[in-house]
Amino acid sequence: MCKYHGTHGHKIEDCRQLREEVARLFSKGHLREFLSDRAKNHFRERDANRKNEQEEPQHVIHMIVRGVDIPHGPIFKRTKVSITREKRTRDYVPEGSLSFNDEEAEDISQPHNDALVISILLNKVEVKRILVDPGGSANIVRSRVVEQLVLQDQIVPATRVLNGFNMASETSKWEIILQVNVAGTIQDTKFHVIEGDIRYNALLGRPWIHNMRAVPSTLHQMMKFSLLDGVKTVYGEHHATKEMFAIDEVTPISMLSTSERSNIKGKQETK
């Protein structure tokens, strides 16, 4: 019986959630008096490296957008994310496995079909409203974000045609290498620079997702990836997603009653 969960589904020594909780406590600096000297040294070195790597952002770039108009930029294809739920009777989970369970989505209003939006550090500057899109074949950043980062001199010419789901295309003429920091994990990442108004500041597509070996879940509004010291979890900013992709419902004129249509026509004639 697992005393941690109070169930008979598995033994406490096989409880994955308990192991993750203990690992989290170790990472936070708790329970380390029970570790071996070798393990204590490992955590000391890791904490020292993290302290050197993590710096406060110089400033914050919020979403640069005027309202929630339909974007004029490309609309990128979405792909369905299939989540395999772990059976409670499963006794063994391979080391380093990335999984999602129903409990992790309990605090999210269901049902929903919202995209996954996060905040990241770009060249040590916090940038909000970053769309994580497994359907995107390229990483994209707005030219106005590059201007805010004062990195125009690092943009290089590179032409690429970006196609949307309906084959409508937009040509990107530039690209730039930016340092992406997510949960303390840093990668130099190539972005295609586009102009125009879109609802997000940057898009992290498959090139970045695969390099990170990350698994995003729009359903659970989180993304996970493995490191040597355990699994990192990045949580989505669900409220920002609601604001970015809000759509006003419009009632077709054909669905209105005769009296309602007459009222609309009368108002139009009096203008």
Side-chain angles (χ1 to χ4, degrees):
M1 174 180 176
C2 178
K3 296 180 181 179
Y4 181 71
H5 283 104
T7 63
H8 292 276
H10 56 269
K11 297 179 181 179
I12 190 168
E13 56 267 25
D14 297 327
C15 181
R16 178 184 61 82
Q17 190 171 348
L18 177 59
R19 290 201 303 270
E20 291 181 355
E21 178 65 17
V22 172
R24 186 185 68 81
L25 290 173
F26 283 150
S27 297
K28 295 291 185 179
H30 304 294
L31 306 178
R32 294 190 181 178
E33 62 270 20
F34 300 106
L35 295 174
S36 65
D37 291 339
R38 181 179 179 182
K40 288 178 181 177
N41 291 333
H42 165 75
F43 279 107
R44 288 194 195 100
E45 292 175 0
R46 192 203 64 179
D47 292 343
N49 291 334
R50 281 185 174 178
K51 187 176 181 180
N52 293 332
E53 289 178 358
Q54 293 179 353
E55 300 180 14
E56 290 294 325
Q58 298 170 5
H59 61 278
V60 177
I61 298 176
H62 291 274
M63 183 65 174
I64 310 166
V65 67
R66 47 192 180 96
V68 290
D69 298 334
I70 296 176
H72 299 291
I75 300 175
F76 295 94
K77 182 179 179 181
R78 298 285 187 272
T79 56
K80 294 182 179 180
V81 178
S82 177
I83 303 296
T84 302
R85 291 187 174 84
E86 174 183 327
K87 295 182 179 179
R88 294 183 179 274
T89 56
R90 188 173 180 178
D91 293 328
Y92 173 71
V93 177
E95 191 72 23
S97 295
L98 300 177
S99 62
F100 302 86
N101 57 58
D102 293 337
E103 287 78 6
E104 291 175 310
E106 286 180 349
D107 296 332
I108 302 171
S109 298
Q110 299 289 352
H112 77 86
N113 63 344
D114 297 317
L116 180 60
V117 174
I118 64 174
S119 293
I120 64 174
L121 289 179
L122 277 180
N123 285 41
K124 301 181 181 179
V125 174
E126 184 177 4
V127 182
K128 295 178 176 294
R129 305 198 176 191
I130 306 298
L131 178 65
V132 180
D133 185 8
S137 61
N139 304 311
I140 296 173
V141 65
R142 296 178 63 184
S143 59
R144 293 176 66 183
V145 173
V146 178
E147 292 173 7
Q148 291 286 318
L149 295 171
V150 195
L151 296 173
Q152 297 95 316
D153 60 334
Q154 296 186 24
I155 295 177
V156 297
T159 301
R160 174 167 178 172
V161 177
L162 303 172
N163 292 318
F165 74 96
N166 61 350
M167 297 311 293
S169 62
E170 178 168 326
T171 301
S172 168
K173 299 178 182 178
W174 311 279
E175 66 183 30
I176 187 172
I177 303 296
L178 296 174
Q179 188 183 78
V180 176
N181 184 335
V182 176
T185 302
I186 302 172
Q187 271 198 6
D188 288 335
T189 304
K190 180 173 72 174
F191 286 87
H192 295 274
V193 183
I194 63 173
E195 297 178 327
D197 288 332
I198 53 178
R199 300 192 184 197
Y200 43 83
N201 282 325
L203 180 147
L204 294 174
R206 291 194 301 273
W208 180 85
I209 294 172
H210 290 182
N211 285 339
M212 287 286 291
R213 302 186 68 82
V215 179
S217 172
T218 55
L219 173 64
H220 297 82
Q221 285 293 291
M222 65 177 62
M223 176 177 62
K224 297 184 179 183
F225 56 93
S226 292
L227 295 176
L228 293 177
D229 57 346
V231 175
K232 289 282 187 181
T233 301
V234 179
Y235 296 94
E237 298 176 350
H238 206 198
H239 62 283
T241 309
K242 293 290 188 183
E243 295 173 0
M244 290 167 58
F245 297 100
I247 299 177
D248 295 329
E249 293 186 2
V250 178
T251 304
I253 192 73
S254 60
M255 296 180 63
L256 298 176
S257 65
T258 304
S259 60
E260 288 173 327
R261 277 182 282 180
S262 298
N263 289 336
I264 293 174
K265 183 178 179 180
K267 290 179 181 178
Q268 291 174 339
E269 290 175 348
T270 57
K271 289 183 179 180

